[in-house]
């Protein structure tokens, strides 16, 4: 075929708009791409197209810069409040206060930038999947060029081991197979064909006449015409999807932003009230400004960033010990709020290893599934009384096979997954392939090809003393050779005219074929791959021209049904998810029947559950999909865009979505999901797009990670309850006394010290608290559920004012005892020191009470959290130091307290502890744990 109208044809056919190459014939493809099936493109035309279409590489958009991340941190509400407070403190001539506030600001920003800055590696990982050198035909000669220089219309030569360098239409296939699991989710290598395939909506996995960038050739050889390069390929579309997913804040970040806004509003409201009230009563402006600085410092939980980072990092370490690597710290908490886990099937829920689960001869059958489930993938079994009936089936399947048995590490085999399953099944029953080949040495073969869908091997008939081999000797009869053929079961039945039963060959009539087809269909309906094994005797060695006659008039030996089985631990993980109020969902590129069978086996869906395919999704409106995802838990034959749509629909329904996967096709959905979880053995693309990597590829590990996530969020909530209720007390201590004619009871540096050392140190101790009972038997936190929910807001509203009133009372009593309005400056320092120290003691005892939301302090005690006890001791020592060490007295404006005042401070702290324990007991009764399904709220109402 000549190259006619190359420019016009190329421009019409090589752009990314053309997606129907699978529907074109080979000649139509060549014509549409203006290339020659023998000589390929000319060098001049290739150079012209390279200039027009650009290099065959993935383009990367710029991510967020360090400056942008720094700005996001500096412009946060809490930082702005502290900066303004620092400016006021400097204007008032208070250097210690100014330095302390600015130090806190720097700490805030550094922690935030370090936490947020992450290199954008996903596209770089995608680039590495392109083959560096490829073989093409140009100017009529094969040559090697860089994959970067490929252009649409190039004729590429493919062979075993090749990495497909672009999207292309297969034009020649000699037993060509490609491994596409990373892109489509199909667990087995796909046989490549050259015939056109009808249907513009045919899923990628079913377009067997196309080869895709980033996949690999596992068998055979062939050639293909490049149809798309660079960002126009399927891999390029995935890169676009990854880059189109906007950077979104995690659930915890959104909740803390909400907290910051509430605190800012409270500070502004109280500050405004105090300022104008003070002006009305004739207070000095300097005093009012100092009060404003104190309010700003009091309202901001300065210890929160450090405590949050420490708690998340500690949670990440605990998760790492349980084989879950955290790539982004906020993901630790998000895991604890997950309501739906969307999981890929291949390699995630399944073993990614084809396994024979059913053996069926004309007179016997064996179901291996239960035995493998109970005894593991390396279980050794015996045929027992079925040796004569099932032995010929297993032996023939192992002999008509190119896989190599490998027993160095359990039962395994090297080769095509289907053939490896045969060899492993035989070895499981003690039938070693090398020994079998010594009894029946191979002397000829007709290799598998996708057109015939079968392969045949010819063997010399040797000794057959073993009972399992006697059947094959009967099959050969007086013949010197034995032909064994295996292939797609439905096609093989039509070629059989007899069957082997009880070591005897008996005729097979049409009624018998109908029964065999019904058996085959029963297993196919369960999502299994079914192959039939046949054979017959030969009097002489065949020649290549005898292929058709050798593979006709066959004797049926039986069938095997195989499946990529679920991981044993996945079943328990799915059950635990349901107990914890989490719905598992399967999203796969595999066949619908296979997906439903695996889902039913795992307990994710009923055996007759509805399965939505990619074609179904294409016909759905966003509203219809949102309704469908409420109930449907299995999705099959889906593309990367479909996975994104499913995740987005779930999120629109108010779900917190985790997406697990290991393939390139999972990357966009992994990035879009609230939490992306990649498998450790998965592609680099998936890992870079995910927040969490499961190092042991164990789906059950995600359940352990969810538990750790819930513990982390409990500890964050515990600190927020502890810190904010204390801050409310401090705000009241600063705001109310001036209205009552009292001096300022706490100066800014005292509040900073209290927030950073008592709140900060004690908060770090809370970050290592053990899980509460029923952590995995309560519903997840709903997306709209405030950080103040489940009694925390009520605790703050009750305990904060009570503590504030108590501190004001302590200040008032001390104020009156030291001379009231006539007191000296030294007496004013004593009043502030007494309030400062009493508040510190209260916080120390409150930390013990805060160890549990529900258990009383005498049950939790001081055991089980050595870090917290250490922090309590450290905080106590530091508090006494700033009160009694002369140099520190000057910095913190304190004076020494005598034993009587110190005793009163302890007494007030004990009384506060009793009040908190009473409130906790009331809360446990009024806010019982509930396992009811949380209400889902649309994303726009979050």
């Amino acid at each position: 075929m000549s190259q006619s109208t190359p420019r016009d044809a190329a421009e019409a056919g090589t752009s990314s708009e053309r997606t129907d190459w699978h529907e074109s014939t080979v000649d139509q493809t060549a014509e549409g791409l203006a290339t020659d099936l023998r000589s390929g493109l000319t060098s001049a035309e290739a150079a012209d197209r390279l200039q027009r279409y650009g290099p065959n590489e993935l383009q990367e958009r710029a991510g967020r810069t360090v400056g942008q991340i720094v700005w996001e941190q500096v412009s946060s509400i809490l930082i702005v409040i502290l900066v303004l407070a620092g400016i006021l403190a400097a204007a008032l001539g208070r250097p210690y206060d100014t330095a302390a506030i600015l130090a806190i600001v720097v700490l805030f920003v550094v922690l935030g930038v370090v936490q947020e800055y992450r290199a954008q590696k996903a596209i770089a990982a995608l680039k590495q999947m392109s083959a560096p050198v490829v073989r093409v035909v140009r100017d009529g000669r094969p040559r090697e060029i860089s994959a970067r220089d490929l252009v649409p219309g190039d004729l590429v030569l493919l062979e075993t081991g090749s990495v497909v360098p672009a999207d292309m239409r297969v034009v020649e296939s000699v037993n060509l197979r490609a491994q596409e699991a990373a892109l489509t989710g199909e667990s087995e290598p796909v046989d490549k064909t050259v015939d056109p395939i009808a249907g513009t909506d045919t899923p990628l996995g079913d377009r067997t006449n196309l080869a895709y960038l980033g996949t690999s050739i596992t068998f055979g050889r062939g050639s293909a015409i490049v149809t798309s390069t660079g960002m126009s390929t399927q891999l390029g579309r995935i890169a676009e999807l990854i880059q189109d997913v906007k950077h979104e804040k995690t659930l915890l970040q959104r909740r803390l932003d909400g907290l910051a806004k509430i605190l800012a509003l409270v500070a502004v409201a109280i500050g405004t009230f105090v300022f104008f009230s003070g002006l009305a009563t004739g207070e000095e402006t300097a005093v009012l400004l100092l009060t404003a600085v104190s309010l700003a410092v009091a309202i901001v939980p300065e210890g929160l960033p450090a405590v949050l980072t420490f708690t998340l990092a500690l949670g990440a370490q605990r998760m790492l010990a349980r084989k879950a690597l955290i790539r982004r710290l906020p993901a630790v908490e998000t895991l604890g709020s997950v309501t739906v886990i969307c999981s890929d099937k291949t390699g995630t829920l399944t073993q990614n290893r084809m396994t024979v689960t059913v053996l069926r001869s004309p007179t016997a059958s064996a179901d291996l599934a239960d035995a493998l489930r109970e005894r593991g993938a390396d279980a050794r079994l015996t045929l027992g009384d079925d040796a004569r009936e099932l032995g010929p089936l297993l032996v023939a399947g192992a002999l008509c096979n190119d896989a190599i048995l490998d027993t160095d590490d359990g039962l395994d085999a090297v080769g095509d997954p289907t053939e490896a399953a045969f060899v492993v099944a035989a070895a499981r029953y003690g039938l070693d392939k090398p020994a079998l080949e010594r009894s029946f040495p191979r002397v000829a073969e007709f290799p598998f090809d996708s057109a015939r869908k079968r392969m045949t091997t010819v063997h010399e008939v040797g000794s057959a003393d073993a009972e399992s081999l006697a059947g094959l000797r009967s099959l050969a009869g007086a013949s010197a050779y034995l032909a064994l053929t295996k292939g797609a079961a439905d096609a093989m039945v039509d070629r059989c005219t007899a069957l082997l039963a009880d070591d005897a060959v008996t005729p097979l009539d049409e009624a018998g074929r109908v029964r065999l087809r019904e058996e085959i269909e029963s297993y196919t309906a369960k999502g299994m791959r079914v192959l039939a094994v046949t054979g017959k005797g030969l009097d002489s060695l065949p020649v290549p021209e005898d292929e058709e006659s050798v593979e006709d008039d066959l004797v049926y030996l039986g069938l095997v049904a195989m499946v990529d089985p679920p991981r044993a631990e996945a079943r328990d993980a799915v059950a635990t998810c349901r107990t914890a109020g989490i719905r598992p969902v399967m999203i796969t590129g595999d066949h619908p029947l296979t997906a439903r069978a695996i889902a039913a086996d795992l307990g994710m869906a009923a055996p007759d559950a509805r399965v939505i395919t990619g074609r179904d999704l294409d016909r759905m409106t966003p509203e219809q999909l949102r309704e469908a995802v409420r109930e449907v838990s299995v999705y099959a034959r889906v593309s990367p865009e479909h996975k994104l749509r499913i995740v987005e629909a779930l999120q629109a329904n108010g779900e917190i979505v985790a997406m697990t996967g290991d393939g390139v096709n999972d990357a966009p959905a992994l990035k879009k999901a609230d939490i992306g979880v990649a498998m450790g053995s998965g592609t680099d693309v998936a890992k870079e797009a995910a927040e969490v990597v499961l190092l042991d590829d164990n789906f059950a590990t995600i359940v352990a990670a969810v538990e750790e996530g819930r513990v982390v969020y409990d500890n964050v909530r515990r600190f927020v309850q502890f810190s904010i209720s204390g801050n409310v007390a401090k705000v009241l201590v600063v705001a109310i006394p001036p209205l009552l004619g009292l001096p300022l009871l706490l100066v800014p540096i005292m509040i900073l010290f209290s927030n950073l050392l008592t709140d900060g140190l004690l908060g770090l101790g809370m970050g290592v608290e053990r899980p509460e009972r029923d952590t995995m038997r309560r519903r997840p936190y709903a997306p709209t559920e405030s950080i103040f929910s489940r009694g925390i807001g009520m605790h703050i509203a009750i305990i904060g004012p009570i503590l504030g009133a108590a501190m004001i009372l302590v200040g008032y009593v001390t104020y009156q005892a030291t001379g009231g309005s006539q007191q000296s400056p030294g007496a004013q320092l004593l009043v502030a020191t007494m309030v400062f120290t009493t508040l510190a003691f209260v916080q120390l005892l409150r930390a013990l009470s805060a160890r549990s939301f529900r258990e009383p302090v005498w049950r939790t005690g001081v055991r089980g959290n050595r870090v917290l006890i250490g922090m309590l001791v450290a905080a106590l020592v530091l508090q006494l130091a700033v009160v009694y060490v002369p140099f520190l007295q000057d910095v913190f404006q304190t004076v020494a307290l005598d034993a009587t005042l110190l005793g009163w401070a302890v007494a007030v702290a004990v009384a506060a502890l009793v009040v908190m324990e009473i409130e906790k007991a009331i809360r446990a009764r009024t806010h019982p744990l509930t396992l009811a399904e949380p209400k889902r709220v649309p994303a726009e109402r979050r």
Side-chain angles (χ1 to χ4, degrees), residues 303-325:
L304 182 57
V307 171
L308 181 60
T309 301
F310 175 78
T311 303
L312 293 176
L314 204 63
Q317 289 181 3
R318 291 198 299 261
M319 289 185 184
L320 183 59
R322 301 177 79 167
K323 304 298 183 182
L325 173 65

Side-chain angles (χ1 to χ4, degrees), residues 139-220:
D139 300 314
R141 299 193 311 273
R143 63 176 64 182
E144 290 188 349
I145 66 170
S146 169
R148 187 176 181 274
D149 297 329
L150 275 180
V151 295
D154 259 325
L155 182 60
V156 179
L157 304 178
L158 300 172
E159 59 186 8
T160 303
S162 298
V163 175
V164 179
D167 284 3
M168 50 189 66
R169 171 67 162 86
V170 178
V171 297
E172 180 190 15
S173 173
V174 181
N175 301 325
L176 191 67
R177 299 182 202 171
Q179 177 56 263
E180 299 176 347
L183 184 67
T184 67
E186 176 62 57
S187 56
E188 295 182 80
V190 178
D191 294 321
K192 289 301 172 182
T193 62
V194 298
D195 296 330
I197 299 171
T200 56
D201 59 351
T202 303
L204 292 183
D206 293 337
R207 299 182 184 185
T208 55
N209 55 12
L210 300 183
Y212 303 108
L213 171 65
T215 61
S216 59
I217 303 302
T218 61
F219 191 79

Side-chain angles (χ1 to χ4, degrees), residues 85 88-89 91-92 94 275 284-296 744 748:
L88 283 175
L92 293 172
R94 304 183 71 88
F275 184 81
E284 295 182 10
T285 302
V287 173
L288 293 176
L289 290 176
L290 180 60
T291 303
V293 172
S294 301
L295 276 173
L744 200 62

Side-chain angles (χ1 to χ4, degrees), residues 241-258:
L241 291 172
I242 293 174
Q243 296 179 90
D244 286 342
V245 175
K246 296 179 180 178
H247 169 76
E248 295 180 356
K249 293 184 177 180
T250 67
L251 186 61
L252 178 61
Q253 289 170 326
R254 294 197 298 268
R255 284 170 170 157
L256 293 180
D257 282 349

Side-chain angles (χ1 to χ4, degrees), residues 728-738 745-746 803-804 807-808 835:
V728 168
K730 294 166 194 171
V731 167
L732 295 177
V733 168
V734 171
I736 301 301
L745 298 184
L746 289 175
L803 293 181
M807 296 306 102
I808 292 172
V835 173

Side-chain angles (χ1 to χ4, degrees), residues 145-475:
I145 66 170
S146 169
R148 187 176 181 274
D149 297 329
L150 275 180
V151 295
D154 259 325
L155 182 60
V156 179
L157 304 178
L158 300 172
E159 59 186 8
T160 303
S162 298
V163 175
V164 179
D167 284 3
M168 50 189 66
R169 171 67 162 86
V170 178
V171 297
E172 180 190 15
S173 173
V174 181
N175 301 325
L176 191 67
R177 299 182 202 171
Q179 177 56 263
E180 299 176 347
L183 184 67
T184 67
E186 176 62 57
S187 56
E188 295 182 80
V190 178
D191 294 321
K192 289 301 172 182
T193 62
V194 298
D195 296 330
I197 299 171
T200 56
D201 59 351
T202 303
L204 292 183
D206 293 337
R207 299 182 184 185
T208 55
N209 55 12
L210 300 183
Y212 303 108
L213 171 65
T215 61
S216 59
I217 303 302
T218 61
F219 191 79
R221 63 179 178 82
S223 59
I225 299 175
V226 174
T227 57
S228 302
T229 59
M231 297 301 287
S232 296
T233 63
Q234 292 296 327
L235 203 63
R237 295 174 66 188
I238 292 175
E240 285 280 0
L241 291 172
I242 293 174
Q243 296 179 90
D244 286 342
V245 175
K246 296 179 180 178
H247 169 76
E248 295 180 356
K249 293 184 177 180
T250 67
L251 186 61
L252 178 61
Q253 289 170 326
R254 294 197 298 268
R255 284 170 170 157
L256 293 180
D257 282 349
L259 172 62
K261 292 175 182 177
I262 292 173
L263 296 178
L265 289 174
V266 170
V268 170
I270 295 178
T272 302
F273 174 74
V274 170
F275 184 81
F276 285 105
S277 298
L279 287 179
T281 57
E283 291 286 348
E284 295 182 10
T285 302
V287 173
L288 293 176
L289 290 176
L290 180 60
T291 303
V293 172
S294 301
L295 276 173
V297 173
I299 201 65
V300 176
E302 287 87 358
L304 182 57
V307 171
L308 181 60
T309 301
F310 175 78
T311 303
L312 293 176
L314 204 63
Q317 289 181 3
R318 291 198 299 261
M319 289 185 184
L320 183 59
R322 301 177 79 167
K323 304 298 183 182
L325 173 65
I326 304 300
R327 299 186 67 252
R328 191 180 181 204
L329 280 183
V332 175
E333 179 277 333
T334 307
L335 271 169
S337 300
V338 163
T339 60
V340 175
I341 298 177
C342 295
S343 175
D344 187 40
K345 178 185 71 68
T346 305
T348 307
L349 291 167
T350 65
Q351 300 173 19
N352 199 17
R353 183 174 73 170
M354 294 302 292
T355 303
V356 173
T357 55
V358 174
L359 300 170
R360 192 175 187 91
S361 73
T363 57
S365 66
D367 189 338
L368 286 66
D370 291 338
L372 296 178
R373 187 178 297 124
E374 294 171 3
R375 298 164 60 180
D378 295 329
R380 302 280 182 165
L381 308 173
T382 58
L383 288 172
D385 296 336
D386 294 328
R388 279 189 171 273
E389 288 77 11
L390 295 176
L393 171 63
L394 277 169
V395 173
L399 288 172
C400 183
N401 202 305
D402 291 327
I404 301 172
L405 185 64
D406 179 10
T407 57
D408 292 340
D409 185 19
L411 278 177
D412 204 355
V414 179
D416 177 84
T418 301
E419 298 209 316
F422 262 110
V423 172
V424 169
R428 197 182 303 283
Y429 285 99
L431 299 172
D432 184 60
K433 184 183 178 185
L436 296 176
E437 289 175 329
R438 286 192 293 271
S439 297
F440 293 89
R442 185 188 299 190
V443 293
E445 64 182 276
F446 297 104
F448 174 90
D449 71 50
S450 55
R452 291 165 37 242
K453 294 187 177 180
R454 57 184 178 271
M455 72 173 288
T456 298
T457 56
V458 181
H459 305 261
E460 286 184 356
V461 179
S463 61
D465 297 332
E467 189 176 17
S468 59
L469 304 180
L472 291 188
R473 187 69 179 84
S474 300
L475 176 63

